[in-house]
């Protein structure tokens, strides 16, 4: 039996989550244009942050830039790179209380060697249940 969106074994039916929106800058243009590295890095940091990665897809653009999307049991994550300015947008939304989206963003910033990290956290759904 499959779980509905925003449900995990620990929080079935919990309509609550955290949405972390981040901008990373001061990142190597080469890393931001390396599709395979970005796919692997996003999957790894999400797993380390206790998210359940179901699928990762990506698109490399010409002349540069990469978008990577991760489908999670807990919701989704995305990165959109801008190698020409050494920056990347990161978006991680997880429902329930098990996954740690802010940790995933910090681990990704570390993996990319970002010089600057700016984040906003939006609590979504039923506020008293969000982690």
């Amino acid at each position: 039996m499959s779980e509905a969106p925003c449900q995990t074994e620990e929080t079935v039916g919990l309509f609550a989550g955290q949405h972390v929106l981040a901008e990373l800058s001061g990142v190597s243009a080469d890393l931001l244009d390396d599709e395979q590295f970005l796919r692997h890095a996003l999957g790894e940091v999400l797993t380390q942050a206790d998210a359940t990665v179901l699928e990762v897809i990506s698109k490399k653009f010409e002349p540069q830039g990469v978008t990577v999307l991760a489908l999670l049991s807990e919701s989704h994550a995305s990165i959109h790179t801008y190698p020409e300015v050494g920056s990347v947008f990161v978006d991680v939304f997880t429902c329930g209380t098990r996954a740690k989206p802010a940790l995933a963003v910090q681990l990704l910033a570390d993996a990319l060697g970002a010089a600057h990290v700016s984040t906003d956290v939006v609590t979504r759904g039923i506020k008293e249940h969000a982690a």
Side-chain angles (χ1 to χ4, degrees):
M1 176 179 196
S2 66
E3 296 173 349
C6 293
Q7 294 182 346
T8 66
E9 293 172 5
E10 299 169 12
T11 59
V12 173
L14 185 60
F15 182 71
Q18 285 193 327
H19 202 155
V20 179
L21 307 168
E23 297 174 19
L24 314 179
S25 60
V27 179
S28 160
D30 289 340
L31 280 183
L32 294 181
D33 212 32
D34 186 337
E35 182 179 9
Q36 292 310 309
F37 170 81
L38 294 166
R39 286 175 61 104
H40 177 76
L42 184 61
E44 284 295 311
V45 302
L46 289 165
T47 299
Q48 291 173 22
D50 295 327
T52 308
V53 179
L54 300 175
E55 186 174 354
V56 177
I57 63 171
S58 60
K59 169 68 177 164
K60 183 163 180 3
F61 296 95
E62 291 301 330
Q64 59 198 355
V66 177
T67 290
V68 182
L69 304 173
L71 176 64
L72 310 174
S73 288
E74 298 82 7
S75 196
H76 71 273
S78 65
I79 58 177
H80 307 280
T81 73
Y82 297 82
E84 66 275 19
V85 293
S87 298
V88 58
F89 290 118
V90 180
D91 177 20
V92 182
F93 176 50
T94 62
C95 300
T97 57
R98 188 174 79 104
K100 301 167 195 75
L103 175 60
V105 170
Q106 185 57 58
L107 292 170
L108 184 62
D110 293 345
L112 292 171
H116 304 284
V117 179
S118 173
T119 61
D120 290 308
V121 179
V122 178
T123 301
R124 298 182 68 184
I126 301 169
K127 306 298 187 230
E128 64 268 16
H129 293 295

